[in-house]
Amino acid sequence: MQNYYLLGRSGLRVSRLALGTMNFGVDGFHAAYGRTEEQAEPIFRRYVESGGNFIDTADFYTAGESERILGRLITRAGIRDRLVLTSKFTNTTDPTDPNAGGNGRKHMVRALEASLRRLGTDHLDLYLLHTWDRITPVEEVVQTFDDLVRAGKIRYAGLSDVPAWYAARAQSYAEAHALTPMVTVQLPYSLIARGIEPEYVPMAQTLGMGLTAWSPVGGGLLTGKYRRGADGLTGTGRLSTPGTGGPSPTDRDWTVIDALSSVAHEVGRSMAQVAINWVATRPGVGAAVIGASSVEQLEGNLAALDFELPADALRRLDEASAPPLAPPYAMFTPRYQSWIVSPGLGIGDKPAGYAPPVRNA
């Protein structure tokens, strides 16, 4: 059974596990591990049969084929209105045209129209800036999002892979000018990639943006299918495929993997399930984006929230994966604050129970 929660400071109800479709299609950048439409359809159908409603794609995924496949699958299933359909823009669709990429108004509008055609729909429920392009004024992006909402082309706006200051600036500008707010920031987050915690998590919580975490299993490294060998990474998958893998795992990564393996064995769950559970239940996270190359893999991922990790298991995972805090972030920890800011005074923000969760079911 799926549970649904509001995404950020909005009324949009989304599944805690979103279906990522970066591997739907066999063309373009992601072709090496892509799935044909025939292979993708059972994955899509099983996700929606489980009650999932949050679908994530982008115009860049498999050179637009992900959107085309999704459009046909949604039409055949006849469930467009049930879905929170999300796509993204930024990456170039024509390397010869300087305005065929980036985050300027011209490209935003053209990219959205092209995505709508490929998806066979007249609107997106959520539209995301895919990557900060470093030069487009944030005010132009926010104003264009607002225009697209007013035109009925999109329902909600959000950001992906931007600096925390940029997201804060976008939200503050939207609030100051009564424009469409950002309801989410999508970022990489996993036991081996916790760099978002010092800035993004408190920013999102304070400014009303629910974090959506991509790559909660570390690109596959946290699934257990890769091991440390004498000559590096062993195992079959994207990370060991020439041209598609990332940097080699560090000693710290292997420490995390060992702790994850131990916890997974103790709780009787797969490493991937424990890794997804950890991410999806972290502060500030509205949803985790999961992918799958088969129905069987999807079934395992969907069961990632069917259990609660014991406190001791969480402590061990947190300690094994905790990144070192560079100044000034170490000064914001409870340990430092209780030592020098408010020693021995027992000061907190709000008492337990001040804002209990609201559940309608």
Side-chain angles (χ1 to χ4, degrees):
M1 174 182 173
Q2 288 273 0
N3 289 312
Y4 309 90
Y5 292 92
L6 301 181
L7 185 59
R9 193 179 299 145
S10 79
L12 185 63
R13 294 133 167 103
V14 299
S15 310
R16 293 179 76 191
L17 297 178
L19 179 64
T21 62
M22 186 172 67
N23 65 336
F24 282 21
V26 292
D27 290 335
F29 185 75
H30 305 98
Y33 50 93
R35 291 294 179 267
T36 65
E37 185 167 338
E38 291 71 23
Q39 294 170 320
E41 183 162 20
I43 297 171
F44 169 82
R45 287 190 173 273
R46 181 65 195 101
Y47 175 76
V48 297
E49 287 168 1
S50 76
N53 75 338
F54 198 2
I55 307 289
D56 180 89
T57 187
D59 58 1
F60 181 67
Y61 294 165
T62 54
E65 193 177 357
S66 173
E67 289 183 328
R68 294 186 189 94
I69 289 174
L70 264 180
R72 292 191 290 267
L73 296 181
I74 292 169
T75 297
R76 286 202 292 270
I79 55 171
R80 174 63 187 93
D81 289 341
R82 287 181 51 193
L83 300 178
V84 177
L85 184 56
T86 305
S87 194
K88 315 180 195 75
F89 71 93
T90 294
N91 297 315
T92 186
T93 57
D94 180 359
T96 68
D97 181 358
N99 284 304
N103 299 325
R105 175 183 291 263
K106 180 176 174 65
H107 179 60
M108 282 183 70
V109 174
R110 184 165 65 172
L112 174 62
E113 295 292 349
S115 286
L116 294 179
R117 286 194 298 270
R118 286 190 290 266
L119 287 161
T121 186
D122 62 358
H123 74 280
L124 289 177
D125 300 292
L126 177 61
Y127 198 37
L128 303 183
L129 177 153
H130 203 159
T131 310
W132 182 46
D133 69 3
R134 305 193 302 161
I135 54 176
T136 303
V138 66
E139 297 84 358
E140 180 173 333
V141 173
V142 174
Q143 289 165 355
T144 306
F145 271 139
D146 189 70
D147 290 343
L148 295 174
V149 169
R150 293 175 186 275
K153 299 289 187 178
I154 67 174
R155 301 293 186 257
Y156 294 90
L159 306 168
S160 170
D161 300 334
V162 300
W165 68 260
Y166 184 95
R169 171 63 177 165
Q171 193 75 320
S172 299
Y173 182 81
E175 291 176 348
H177 295 84
L179 301 174
T180 297
M182 308 297 107
V183 301
T184 188
V185 179
Q186 189 173 118
L187 298 161
Y189 193 22
S190 72
L191 280 162
I192 59 170
R194 295 179 58 180
I196 72 169
E197 291 178 352
E199 287 280 0
Y200 290 91
V201 172
M203 180 274 298
Q205 291 173 316
T206 301
L207 297 180
M209 291 179 277
L211 297 175
T212 47
W214 62 265
S215 197
V217 293
L221 192 59
L222 300 176
T223 62
K225 64 183 178 181
Y226 300 104
R227 295 297 178 189
R228 178 159 35 180
D231 298 322
L233 197 69
T234 64
T236 303
R238 180 166 62 92
L239 294 183
S240 58
T241 302
T244 62
S248 299
T250 64
D251 288 341
R252 175 181 168 274
D253 291 339
W254 290 116
T255 297
V256 174
I257 292 168
D258 289 342
L260 175 61
S261 177
S262 176
V263 167
H265 177 74
E266 290 173 14
V267 300
R269 294 285 179 165
S270 72
M271 289 173 61
Q273 288 173 335
V274 173
I276 293 169
N277 183 293
W278 183 89
V279 168
T281 56
R282 296 295 291 178
V285 173
V289 182
I290 59 171
S293 59
S294 66
V295 172
E296 293 73 24
Q297 188 180 65
L298 177 66
E299 292 279 8
N301 290 344
L302 289 174
L305 298 181
D306 291 349
F307 62 97
E308 185 175 339
L309 287 169
D312 181 65
L314 281 172
R315 178 190 59 78
R316 287 156 52 199
L317 290 174
D318 289 348
E319 289 178 354
S321 63
L325 288 175
Y329 297 109
M331 299 170 67
F332 310 146
T333 62
R335 179 180 181 182
Y336 181 94
Q337 299 263 321
S338 64
W339 167 54
I340 200 168
V341 177
S342 305
L345 296 178
I347 295 174
D349 176 24
K350 299 291 188 298
Y354 176 85
V358 178
R359 292 294 302 270
N360 289 338

